[in-house]
Amino acid sequence: MADEIVNRVANNKNLITFDLEEYYPKGNRILFDIKNWLFEGLILREKEFRKYVLDHDWSQYQDVYVALTCSTDAIIPGWAYLLLTSSLQPFAKKVAVGSLEALETILYAEIINTIDISEYQNKLIIIKGCTNKPVPQGAYIDLIQKLQPVAKSIMYGEACSSVPLYKRK
């Protein structure tokens, strides 16, 4: 009679796989490029810019995550992003300045900040690396900084092929 194969990794109660994809905030993301609201795509004229803001239908951003950007080399004064955010605030779930990846990084930073880490005290943790959703690299950085003070060890990847990152001495 052959010996039964036992999956020691699956049976290890101290080993926890942390999958950031499970925390992915649901909702549409939009990159709002203001270049078309600039004179020749480069110069912000306050009067015209304010008219665009006033005439725009902001309700289309209801429950949407919005990243504000300018894809040209224009110099955009800080108040312009504030004005846009003020108009988006009643509708959008979140507004950020930058790329969609920057938006995702901010969303994940907020989520990771709220995670109760007490259940990870003295545990072996594997941070799952493969995801189908756009988890930004910054989220992994935030996560290891959050977990390292309490974890016994932290690895990256899958249980069958993980890369050691940290081990408490």
Side-chain angles (χ1 to χ4, degrees):
M1 210 165 156
D3 291 332
E4 181 182 341
I5 297 174
V6 177
N7 186 338
R8 293 185 327 195
V9 173
N11 293 333
N12 188 337
K13 301 295 181 215
N14 288 324
L15 181 64
I16 299 173
T17 299
F18 198 109
D19 186 356
L20 278 169
E21 187 173 46
E22 292 175 5
Y23 292 86
Y24 184 78
K26 293 178 181 165
N28 292 333
R29 277 89 164 136
I30 291 179
L31 187 64
F32 187 102
D33 191 346
I34 65 170
K35 74 174 181 178
N36 295 328
W37 290 11
L38 305 177
F39 177 71
E40 296 183 359
L42 293 171
I43 300 168
L44 187 145
R45 291 183 170 168
E46 183 177 353
K47 186 176 179 181
E48 289 86 4
F49 188 79
R50 286 183 179 276
K51 181 158 176 33
Y52 283 123
V53 171
L54 188 62
D55 294 344
H56 193 70
D57 176 16
W58 297 104
S59 67
Q60 65 184 304
Y61 304 99
Q62 185 69 48
D63 298 325
V64 171
Y65 297 103
V66 180
L68 301 173
T69 193
C70 182
S71 60
T72 64
D73 287 333
I75 297 172
I76 308 299
W79 65 261
Y81 291 116
L82 295 174
L83 184 63
L84 293 169
T85 302
S86 177
S87 296
L88 283 162
Q89 193 277 329
F91 304 104
K93 283 185 179 181
K94 181 74 177 175
V95 180
V97 175
S99 65
L100 288 173
E101 183 175 354
L103 174 64
E104 295 296 343
T105 300
I106 291 167
L107 294 174
Y108 268 103
E110 290 175 350
I111 291 165
I112 290 167
N113 191 45
T114 65
I115 294 172
D116 177 11
I117 58 171
S118 61
E119 70 179 278
Y120 302 103
Q121 186 75 40
N122 295 317
K123 302 289 187 191
L124 309 172
I125 301 168
I126 295 178
I127 299 173
K128 186 176 176 193
C130 297
T131 61
N132 294 316
K133 295 183 173 125
V135 178
Q137 190 63 44
Y140 292 99
I141 302 299
D142 291 343
L143 182 61
I144 194 167
Q145 290 180 92
K146 178 92 173 187
L147 294 174
Q148 188 166 320
V150 298
K152 184 174 182 179
S153 76
I154 301 174
M155 297 164 277
Y156 177 82
E158 302 293 330
C160 61
S161 62
S162 60
V163 176
L165 301 173
Y166 167 77
K167 185 169 187 163
R168 187 179 316 135
K169 296 176 184 175

